[in-house]
Amino acid sequence: MPELPEVETVRRGIAPVLEGARLEQVEILDPRLVRPFDPVIVAGELTGERVVEVGRRGKYLIVRFASGRSLLIHLRMTGSLRHARRGMLADDPHTRAVVRLDNGTDVAYRDVRRFGTWELLEERELAPSLAARLGPEPLGTLSAKRLGRRLAGRRAPLKSALLDQRTIAGLGNIYVDEALWQSRLHPLRPAGGLDGRDLARLHRAIRRVLRTGIERQGATLRDYALPDGASGTMQEEFHAYGRGGEPCDRCGTPLARITVGGRTTTFCPRCQRA
Ligand SMILES: [Zn+2]
């Protein structure tokens, strides 16, 4: 559920809390979070680490420690982080881990569906494991040409290719539907069949929807919240996602809803021609 803008918003909220702090005590309450590793051992390894930086790559948060190791956090469907002054975190049955920091703050990881993951990686493991899972960062150096090379020769529907994190990192159902609506591209077009003008429009649209998502602090639907408990407002900007049957904001045609690769997909059958 959280996509690049939501994860970036979480990063911006939690970085000032974590950076420079030492992990005084770590409790991992749900073994699924760190499996196949033993939660007691992982908690012991994390205890004493000092955070130097909280980064992000795609939908992963990267907590870098002074030792060179990193904790890779993926929020999956419903993961979120909360922080409060020591002892002030609200009781919550969905808390899966609690970290006590030496700056007087407690940080809780909460996850209703329990698909989120924490992976503790050695310094040498970080770059190869990210490279194996993720394509380029869409708000980084990605150009329309490079996007074209990532899609070239692929017969998969455009929607599916863009959801594949190895094509480009960070997109999910919301921002793909929005980017395809903005660029007037049909979700079922073969990914490798775009010409230079299509690619330029798609590239611009992807960056625009992600930047707007970050400005609006993400979309709050169900469980997503900022680390201080506040909500994002990107859902007010949606033109396509979740609006099946409603009139297109460009042409008034009712938006169509189909399933692509098992994912509900909303698009305008008039503006986004096959
Ligand atoms: Zn339309």
Side-chain angles (χ1 to χ4, degrees):
M1 176 73 220
E3 304 179 26
L4 188 154
E6 287 75 32
V7 178
E8 177 60 21
T9 303
V10 170
R11 188 195 71 74
R12 291 178 183 190
I14 208 69
V17 175
L18 285 172
E19 286 176 356
R22 201 174 68 88
L23 279 52
E24 263 184 10
Q25 190 183 312
V26 179
E27 277 182 284
I28 295 171
L29 306 166
D30 182 358
R32 273 178 64 157
L33 192 57
V34 295
R35 72 181 176 191
F37 300 101
D38 184 320
V40 175
I41 292 175
V42 176
E45 291 291 321
L46 286 168
T47 303
E49 289 281 10
R50 184 173 293 281
V51 178
V52 291
E53 186 196 37
V54 182
R56 180 193 56 75
R57 187 68 175 85
K59 303 179 199 171
Y60 288 97
L61 288 169
I62 307 171
V63 183
R64 296 176 190 271
F65 298 115
S67 65
R69 299 200 288 189
S70 296
L71 180 65
L72 207 53
I73 299 178
H74 200 301
L75 305 170
R76 298 288 168 197
M77 305 279 288
T78 55
S80 65
L81 292 165
R82 300 290 163 87
H83 67 87
R85 292 175 62 86
R86 180 166 301 167
M88 300 297 283
L89 283 170
D91 273 340
D92 183 340
H94 302 297
T95 299
R96 308 301 175 197
V98 181
V99 176
R100 184 206 284 168
L101 302 173
D102 69 351
N103 61 13
T105 307
D106 291 338
V107 173
Y109 175 78
R110 148 179 226 280
D111 196 343
V112 176
R113 302 281 302 272
R114 302 169 64 212
F115 291 120
T117 54
W118 283 20
E119 290 173 81
L120 182 59
L121 297 179
E122 299 298 329
E123 195 166 14
R124 65 178 186 283
E125 295 174 315
L126 181 66
S129 71
L130 291 173
R133 300 174 206 190
L134 302 174
E137 206 52 40
L139 295 179
T141 56
L142 180 73
S143 62
K145 262 192 180 153
R146 189 167 179 209
L147 176 61
R149 285 198 298 272
R150 311 288 302 174
L151 297 172
R154 295 174 66 167
R155 298 170 70 176
L158 186 53
K159 165 106 188 212
S160 305
L162 293 173
L163 286 175
D164 179 351
Q165 299 300 295
R166 292 163 301 182
T167 310
I168 52 173
L171 296 175
N173 217 23
I174 292 176
Y175 293 91
V176 170
D177 277 7
E178 292 299 314
L180 292 176
W181 184 89
Q182 291 275 357
S183 54
R184 304 180 187 223
L185 293 168
H186 195 288
L188 289 176
R189 280 186 62 174
L194 306 190
D195 66 20
R197 286 172 58 186
D198 294 334
L199 285 167
R201 283 205 317 280
L202 177 60
H203 175 256
R204 199 163 51 234
I206 288 171
R207 290 164 68 105
R208 186 193 301 150
V209 298
L210 292 175
R211 286 206 180 100
T212 304
I214 292 170
E215 279 165 23
R216 304 299 298 261
Q217 301 193 292
T220 298
L221 310 160
R222 296 182 289 274
D223 292 291
Y224 168 72
L226 277 62
D228 62 2
S231 302
T233 58
M234 180 61 187
Q235 63 280 5
E236 297 164 8
E237 302 278 330
F238 289 168
H239 294 287
Y241 179 82
R243 296 193 52 203
E246 294 179 35
C248 172
D249 288 336
R250 231 171 0 223
C251 74
T253 303
L255 297 176
R257 189 163 43 207
I258 57 173
T259 303
V260 182
R263 308 297 301 275
T264 300
T265 299
T266 310
F267 68 101
C268 175
R270 182 154 176 226
C271 298
Q272 297 168 255
R273 293 273 175 85

